[in-house]
Amino acid sequence: MLNLERLRTLDAVARHGSVSGAADVSQQLSKLEREVGQQLLAKNGRGVRLTDAGLLLAEHAARILSQVQMAQADIEAQRGQVVGQVRVAGFPTAARGLFPAALAALREGHPDLRVRTTELEPENGVRAVLRGDADLALVLDWSNKRAPVPGGLERAHLLDDSADVALPAGHPLAGREAVDLVDFADEEWVSWPEGEFCHDWLMFTLRSQGIEPRIGHLAGEHHTQLALVAAGLGVCVTPRLGRPVPEGVVFVPVRQQVRRHIYATWRADAGRRPSVRAVVGALRAAAEPLGS
């Protein structure tokens, strides 16, 4: 008997092209290789690729998992009720800015629905949906750097979220009504960790303005980034959604607006589930007054 969770892992690797994002992925695939008696992964430079056997099994896994999702969707649709459990992943600012209102509305409107949430960065949220570890994930891209949608996923736009430059209160430009990114060509920047989509976006955006970024500090949480700014250790780009407002920091808009696009994403074969549609609707309602 093939293990369904291991097939989910293989399917996620086939769709996303990576075995990263979960500590037990390699272990799960090793067990699956023992189950089928064939090698499913082979080294490919610094990464891995699926062998012919792996590709063949991945095709079957996609069909099996799609049938499981459709069966669940059909059962829920036949009942026509918003019940059961939905697992939702969101990156920290979206979780802070959208989850409370959306979850409160769902609890009031659909008391038989259980929503479990967890914080995951967008890339990991996509992997969780592909693996079947999450039913929905909140993801993002930027107006000048779009993120592709992996095959088999659908998404719904929730809001556009403007970003400002965060400056120490005593900075010479703190009193401006608006700034240009080139105004900070000689500044040190506080950025997201290397390898994250938002870090890559910042590097791309600054270089497109002719600025070679001087990155002084890396921090994943906006609270940490802004604490460093308040201490006079650099400047950063900070989106407005779920943004803390610490003392000693001033936010100044960018003349050529910098925006994040925030989406909910889910497997296409789960789109008929009333519970999934209800969660997307609640997230849209929570996002409506926040768009900028």
Side-chain angles (χ1 to χ4, degrees):
M1 269 309 260
L2 294 173
N3 181 281
L4 189 62
E5 293 307 312
R6 290 168 197 154
L7 290 179
R8 289 188 195 280
T9 302
L10 179 66
D11 180 61
V13 171
R15 292 176 186 270
H16 205 69
S18 172
V19 296
S20 63
D24 63 342
V25 168
S26 296
Q27 183 180 7
Q28 291 289 332
L29 291 179
S30 295
K31 290 179 179 178
L32 187 58
E33 286 181 329
R34 291 196 292 271
E35 286 179 352
V36 301
Q38 294 197 60
Q39 185 179 357
L40 303 177
L41 293 177
K43 289 186 176 181
N44 184 29
R46 295 185 178 180
V48 295
R49 61 173 177 83
L50 293 177
T51 63
D52 289 345
L55 290 169
L56 178 62
L57 185 56
E59 291 177 3
H60 286 287
R63 290 194 291 270
I64 291 168
L65 295 171
S66 180
Q67 287 295 322
V68 170
Q69 287 281 359
M70 286 191 290
Q72 184 177 6
D74 285 344
I75 291 295
E76 285 193 19
Q78 186 181 48
R79 286 187 296 184
Q81 298 175 332
V82 180
V83 297
Q85 176 176 275
V86 177
R87 300 158 299 169
V88 185
F91 55 97
T93 54
R96 186 163 56 247
L98 297 178
F99 280 177
L103 297 179
L106 287 166
R107 174 172 289 185
E108 181 177 352
H110 304 289
D112 294 325
L113 177 67
R114 299 186 309 279
V115 182
R116 290 179 52 200
T117 64
T118 186
E119 285 191 358
L120 288 177
E121 290 300 326
E123 300 92 333
N124 293 332
V126 168
R127 294 188 185 105
V129 172
L130 288 170
R131 287 197 306 267
D133 295 336
D135 300 298
L136 280 166
L138 300 187
V139 298
L140 64 86
D141 59 21
W142 294 83
S143 52
N144 63 335
K145 189 174 178 63
R146 310 311 290 265
V149 181
L153 296 188
E154 293 182 359
R155 70 182 186 182
H157 177 261
L158 298 179
L159 77 153
D160 291 338
D161 181 28
S162 291
D164 305 310
V165 178
L167 311 172
H171 193 282
L173 300 181
R176 292 275 190 92
E177 291 186 2
V179 292
D180 295 309
L181 292 178
V182 293
D183 294 334
F184 305 97
D186 297 325
E187 299 278 354
E188 279 199 333
W189 288 85
V190 180
S191 177
W192 295 269
E194 292 180 1
E196 288 191 6
F197 181 74
C198 287
H199 175 83
D200 295 341
W201 166 80
L202 182 63
M203 301 298 99
F204 169 81
T205 300
L206 294 177
R207 285 169 177 156
S208 70
Q209 298 286 320
I211 303 169
E212 184 55 37
R214 296 173 54 218
I215 305 300
H217 304 280
L218 301 172
E221 275 285 345
H222 288 165
H223 287 80
T224 306
Q225 293 180 3
L226 294 175
L228 293 167
V229 171
L233 299 173
V235 301
C236 71
V237 172
T238 307
R240 295 175 184 173
L241 179 65
R243 179 169 70 190
V245 186
E247 292 185 7
V249 175
V250 172
F251 300 103
V252 183
V254 181
R255 284 192 181 88
Q256 295 180 332
Q257 274 197 329
V258 178
R259 291 177 181 264
R260 300 189 302 180
H261 308 296
I262 298 175
Y263 308 89
T265 188
W266 61 91
R267 287 180 67 112
D269 42 28
R272 287 179 295 166
R273 292 176 57 190
S275 56
V276 170
R277 295 201 302 269
V279 173
V280 173
L283 288 167
R284 277 178 162 157
E288 187 173 357
L290 302 176
S292 55

